[in-house]
Every structure is written in structure tokens, then in C-alpha cells.
């Protein structure tokens, strides 16, 4: 569970900014299940998402895939030449199985400058490791594993993270944090333009041979009122090669499916996988490309959302409102906000322009006051991140109207006549 994320000198973020998911009004909660980030176009919302994605990539790939001599592929703030030579930094604060961790690192263009991992048993800071100026120090509680850790650090390149290296040997001290980046943090893309192959791959990965999971997917498609009553997955060049049947399969198709799933050599070729959909009770099946943009977006988000809810993961979506109706977006948010559908503390972090989410949907508040954040740029082009709670909002106030009216900032300054003047003749 993510408690906070800090970043410094990343793209449009020049100075240190923090996204906090610590509750402001309900202190009994460990962390908030939802954070919505608003701002004008080009304000830096996507750069905040990009920063967390870069941190994940560094943890998972810096040792194996970053160029040995290629330095660090960072993206510092470019509008101030002095900042291009300054460090870029990222820090996360996590709660994992009732244990708190803080992990972070700083880099320049060539190497990792600092890296650290702390835990907080009984609310007291414990150093697991600290890396600085080419040296590393391990905490006193790790004396028994010191020899192995020293060897792992010897294998760590200047432009690779020690966390990334140590995880390759499953070093116990790093695995909880590494596994959060690997298995609990996801960045689904809510729009697939031309093909259902990537979505078919995610659905297959989510189903994992469980017919009940398919039922939940079908139910969520049905309740979204997109017209779909069922789906199946086939190999596109061999329709008889059934990968996943309709919900009420024939004995032959179910037998074939079980045989395929039981075969350790059976690998689905996602380049040849096709999603086919049934609408209502009709026998005709429709291809993924026949469906609307909203249906594609909804279907592409569902596997990650259900996985996050199942394991208590953190799902991060840039422009959640792309092609989705506001009521559908509100329902997705509700799955994370409600305790009965989110018993494991999964989190949804998203950027949006949809001001209607600041109000109510079907009589219910969509977002709580401390779940709303804003991003805006200053006169120097640097992004600033700040919460709605800074404005001391009252319960029940019309947040949608106040936001669009500019009370919270983070809206574009639009001239009432500028658009017309730009295209008016003479």
C-alpha cells in the first residue's frame, strides 16, 4: 500500500513535490484508496505518472537492461539549465503486510548518487542499507547476511540500483519492496486502438484457468451497459483452436480447454489471439475492433483493476476519463472506495479532466475531500502539486463549480475572445 511518493527534478517538476495518500480526515485508515489528480493540459499530470513509472522501471530493469555504459536515462527539468546538472530523485513510503518501508534514490546523467532502504518496526527507523559516494552501509541487524550483500554490491554497476541487483539473488531484505514494484504496481492503458491482442493477453493472464473470474468480467461488462453478454478467445487463423470458451461452453469445448490448460507445453500465441464478443442472446460474435472506444477502454482496464482488488495492488491510470462515460468512471472509483469490494486495501491513482467526478453520481459522493489533488505550472514552467485539503473545503460544498470557476487553480486561462480572434478574417 502506497503512503506517499516524492519526486525531484523530473521533467516539468523542478523542485521536490509529494503525493500523499495519508488520510486527512479519517486517521483510522492506513492510506487512502483513491487519489485523483486534476490540472490543465500540459500542467504536468502525466509527468507525475511518468515519474512513478520511471522509478518502477529503474527498480525492475536497471541491472539487466540499462546500457552498461549508457548512464542513467533520466529526464530532468529542461527550462532551467542549472537544474540539468542537479540530481533527480524519487522516494516512496509503503505499508506492506503491516510493515512500513521507505525507499529512494537520486541520480545524475551518469550514475546512481544515493540509494537507501529503511524499515520502521514499532515506528522506529531501521537502516537496511544506505548507499552514498560509491560505498554502501548495511544495518546492524543484517550482520548474518553481510558477506552475501557485500558480494552483491560488488556486482552493482554505478548506473544500476542495488535493489535491482539484490533482487536477482532474492536477498531477503529487498524482496518486499521489490515485489511491490514487480507485482503490485500497474499502469494499464485504457485505450487500445487497432487490435484486441494485448487485451486478450491481459484477460488470459487474469483468468488463469478460473471460470469464476470470467463470470466477474462478464458481469462487469453487462452492468456497464455496453451490450456485451459474453466473450471467447480463439486463435485467429484457426477458429477451432479454442483458447477460452463462452461462459456456457459445450462439453467438447470445455474438454478441449481443460486439455490445453493442463498441457505444460501449451502457450497461447497472443499475436494470433482474437477476442470475440456476444451481444445479448444473438449467436453472432463480434470482433474487438467492432466494439466502441468506450467498451475497449473499459475492457482494457478491468483485468488490472480486478487483479489490484484481489491482491491489494496499486493501479495508476493516466487520463482515466479517455473514452469512458463519467458514470462508468465513477463506478470504477467506487470499487476501490468501498470496503466490501476492496477488502485488501487496493489503490487507484489517476489523472483526469472530468470535473463531474468532483460532485456526486447517482446521489453519492464520487471522491472524498482528501482524495483530490491539483497540478499547475508557475510562470517559470515548473509544475506544482497540491491537495484540495489545503483549501479547507467544507463537506457538501460544490467542488465541481468551484474548480471550474478557478477557486482551486489548476485550470487553463482561456480568453473569451482569443479563439475567435485567432481564426477571424482580417
Amino acid at each position: 500500500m502506497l503512503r506517499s511518493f516524492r519526486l525531484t527534478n523530473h521533467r516539468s517538476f523542478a523542485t521536490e513535490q509529494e503525493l500523499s495518500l495519508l488520510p486527512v480526515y479519517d486517521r483510522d485508515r492506513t492510506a487512502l484508496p483513491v487519489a485523483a489528480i486534476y490540472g490543465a493540459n500540459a500542467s504536468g499530470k502525466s509527468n507525475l505518472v511518468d515519474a512513478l513509472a520511471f522509478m518502477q522501471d529503474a527498480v525492475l530493469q536497471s541491472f539487466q537492461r540499462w546500457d552498461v555504459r549508457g548512464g542513467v536515462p533520466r529526464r530532468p527539468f529542461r527550462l532551467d539549465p542549472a537544474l540539468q546538472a542537479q540530481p533527480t530523485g524519487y522516494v516512496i513510503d509503503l505499508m506492506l503486510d503491516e510493515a512500513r518501508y521507505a525507499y529512494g534514490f537520486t541520480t545524475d546523467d551518469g550514475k546512481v548518487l544515493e540509494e537507501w532502504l529503511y524499515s520502521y518496526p514499532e515506528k522506529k527507523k531501521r537502516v537496511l542499507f544506505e548507499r552514498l559516494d560509491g560505498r554502501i552501509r548495511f544495518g546492524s541487524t543484517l550482520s548474518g547476511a553481510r558477506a552475501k550483500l557485500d558480494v552483491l554490491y560488488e556486482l552493482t554497476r554505478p548506473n544500476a540500483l542495488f535493489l535491482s541487483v539484490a533482487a536477482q539473488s532474492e536477498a531477503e531484505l529487498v524482496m518486499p519492496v521489490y515485489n511491490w514494484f514487480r507485482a503490485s504496481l500497474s499502469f494499464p492503458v485504457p485505450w487500445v486502438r487497432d487490435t484486441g491482442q494485448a487485451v486478450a493477453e491481459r484477460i488470459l493472464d487474469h483468468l488463469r484457468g478460473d471460470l469464476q473470474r470470467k463470470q466477474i468480467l462478464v458481469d462487469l461488462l453487462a452492468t456497464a451497459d455496453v451490450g456485451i453478454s459474453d466473450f471467447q478467445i480463439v486463435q485467429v487463423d484457426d477458429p477451432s483452436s479454442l483458447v477460452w470458451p463462452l461462459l456456457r461452453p459445450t462439453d467438447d469445448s470445455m474438454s478441449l480447454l481443460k486439455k490445453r490448460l493442463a498441457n505444460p507445453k501449451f502457450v497461447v500465441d497472443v499475436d494470433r489471439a482474437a477476442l470475440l464478443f456476444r451481444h445479448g442472446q444473438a449467436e453472432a460474435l463480434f470482433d474487438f475492433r467492432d466494439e466502441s472506444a468506450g467498451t475497449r477502454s473499459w475492457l482494457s482496464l478491468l483485468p488490472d483493476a480486478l487483479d489490484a482488488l484481489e491482491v491489494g495492488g496499486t493501479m495508476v491510470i493516466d487520463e482515466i476519463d479517455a473514452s469512458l462515460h463519467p458514470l462508468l468512471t465513477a463506478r470504477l472509483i467506487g470499487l476501490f472506495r468501498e470496503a466490501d469490494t476492496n477488502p485488501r486495501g487496493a489503490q487507484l491513482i489517476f489523472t483526469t479532466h472530468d470535473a463531474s467526478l468532483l460532485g456526486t453520481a447517482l446521489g453519492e459522493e464520487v471522491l472524498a475531500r482528501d482524495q483530490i489533488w491539483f497540478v499547475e505550472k508557475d510562470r517559470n514552467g515548473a509544475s506544482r502539486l497540491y491537495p484540495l485539503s489545503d483549501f479547507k473545503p467544507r463537506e457538501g460544498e460544490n467542488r465541481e463549480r468551484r474548480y471550474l470557476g478557478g477557486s482551486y487553480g489548476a485550470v487553463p486561462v482561456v480568453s473569451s475572445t482569443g479563439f475567435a480572434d485567432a481564426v477571424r478574417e482580417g
Side-chain angles (χ1 to χ4, degrees):
M1 186 179 298
L2 181 65
R3 287 164 47 92
S4 69
F5 170 59
R6 301 202 312 269
L7 71 159
T8 306
N9 196 16
H10 179 94
R11 303 193 73 159
S12 64
F13 289 92
T15 59
E16 183 177 88
Q17 305 291 315
E18 180 177 26
L19 175 69
S20 173
L21 283 88
L22 296 179
V24 176
Y25 305 107
D26 182 4
R27 299 303 178 90
D28 292 334
R29 306 192 71 153
T30 301
L32 294 170
V34 174
I37 302 155
Y38 284 83
N41 289 326
S43 61
K45 301 186 305 299
S46 295
N47 291 338
L48 179 64
V49 173
D50 182 79
L52 187 55
F54 177 83
M55 190 180 193
Q56 180 191 53
D57 180 75
V59 167
L60 301 184
Q61 309 294 350
S62 63
F63 174 64
Q64 293 180 307
R65 296 190 180 181
W66 283 10
D67 193 327
V68 173
R69 300 179 180 177
V72 177
R74 68 171 185 146
R75 294 176 286 272
F77 186 74
R78 296 177 61 186
L79 298 180
D80 183 349
L83 278 174
Q84 295 188 50
Q86 295 300 309
T88 295
Y90 312 90
V91 185
I92 57 165
D93 191 331
L94 300 172
M95 183 66 72
L96 306 175
D97 295 328
E98 300 185 1
R100 182 185 164 201
Y101 295 88
Y103 172 72
F105 60 87
T106 66
T107 78
D108 60 15
D109 290 336
K111 63 184 178 181
V112 176
L113 302 174
E114 298 177 88
E115 185 182 6
W116 62 91
L117 176 61
Y118 305 133
S119 64
Y120 293 84
E122 300 179 355
K123 299 183 179 181
K124 294 182 179 180
K125 178 179 173 181
R126 175 184 293 171
V127 174
L128 297 180
F129 72 81
E130 291 179 323
R131 175 185 181 185
L132 178 65
D133 295 331
R135 299 180 180 180
I136 195 165
R137 178 175 74 90
F138 298 105
S140 58
T141 60
L142 304 174
S143 56
R146 179 64 185 268
K148 177 182 177 180
L149 294 173
D150 283 338
V151 170
L152 291 173
Y153 185 63
E154 289 296 319
L155 298 174
T156 304
R157 301 190 314 272
N159 74 330
L161 296 176
F162 176 71
L163 187 78
S164 181
V165 176
Q168 309 309 308
S169 296
E170 299 187 348
E172 185 177 350
L173 85 160
V174 305
M175 292 314 293
V177 173
Y178 180 85
N179 284 333
W180 182 82
F181 279 105
R182 181 187 62 81
S184 295
L185 179 61
S186 64
F187 295 85
V189 179
W191 171 245
V192 181
R193 292 187 180 277
D194 300 317
T195 175
Q197 292 167 2
V199 179
E201 180 181 12
R202 278 297 298 117
I203 289 176
L204 285 168
D205 182 58
H206 169 72
L207 294 177
R208 294 191 287 274
D210 189 337
L211 214 75
Q212 184 177 358
R213 286 180 173 165
K214 187 190 176 187
Q215 179 68 67
I216 294 172
L217 270 176
V218 171
D219 288 346
L220 287 173
L221 286 168
T223 56
D225 195 28
V226 295
I228 293 174
S229 58
D230 204 354
F231 68 86
Q232 71 179 25
I233 304 174
V234 299
Q235 298 289 14
V236 67
D237 55 353
D238 181 10
S240 65
S241 182
L242 189 68
V243 179
W244 196 268
L246 294 172
L247 200 59
R248 297 177 181 82
T250 65
D251 291 341
D252 289 342
S253 65
M254 200 61 199
S255 175
L256 174 61
L257 174 64
K258 290 179 178 178
K259 183 182 296 184
R260 287 179 175 274
L261 291 173
N263 181 359
K265 296 183 179 181
F266 173 62
V267 178
V268 177
D269 184 354
V270 295
D271 291 332
R272 298 187 299 121
L275 274 168
L276 300 178
F277 299 92
R278 171 176 287 169
H279 286 250
Q281 299 301 314
E283 292 298 320
L285 297 175
F286 294 82
D287 185 80
F288 184 80
R289 287 169 290 189
D290 296 326
E291 302 298 333
S292 71
T295 299
R296 296 186 196 186
S297 292
W298 183 238
L299 189 59
S300 65
L301 291 176
L302 285 180
D304 285 274
L306 292 173
D307 281 348
L309 291 167
E310 185 174 314
V311 303
T314 300
M315 184 169 75
V316 185
I317 304 174
D318 194 18
E319 298 186 6
I320 195 173
D321 47 330
S323 300
L324 286 184
H325 190 281
L327 286 179
L328 201 53
T329 306
R331 289 307 186 202
L332 179 61
I333 294 169
L335 290 177
F336 285 81
R337 286 198 62 187
E338 298 299 325
D340 58 343
T341 53
N342 185 13
R344 293 177 176 82
Q347 294 171 300
L348 173 63
I349 301 170
F350 63 91
T351 70
T352 182
H353 293 288
D354 190 348
S356 70
L357 301 176
L358 296 169
T360 58
L362 301 178
E364 298 178 356
E365 178 186 65
V366 180
L367 295 165
R369 290 173 291 168
D370 53 359
Q371 296 173 353
I372 300 167
W373 288 75
F374 303 105
V375 177
E376 67 176 8
K377 283 186 176 177
D378 63 22
R379 64 182 62 187
N380 297 315
S383 297
R384 180 173 71 97
L385 175 68
Y386 57 96
L388 173 66
S389 58
D390 281 355
F391 296 88
K392 304 296 188 293
R394 301 185 307 274
E395 284 193 69
E397 73 176 33
N398 192 326
R399 298 194 290 260
E400 179 181 0
R401 184 177 64 188
R402 295 198 66 193
Y403 171 62
L404 293 176
S407 296
Y408 309 135
V411 291
V413 179
V414 180
S415 168
S416 59
T417 61
F419 288 96
D421 290 344
V423 298
R424 185 177 291 123
E425 293 184 5

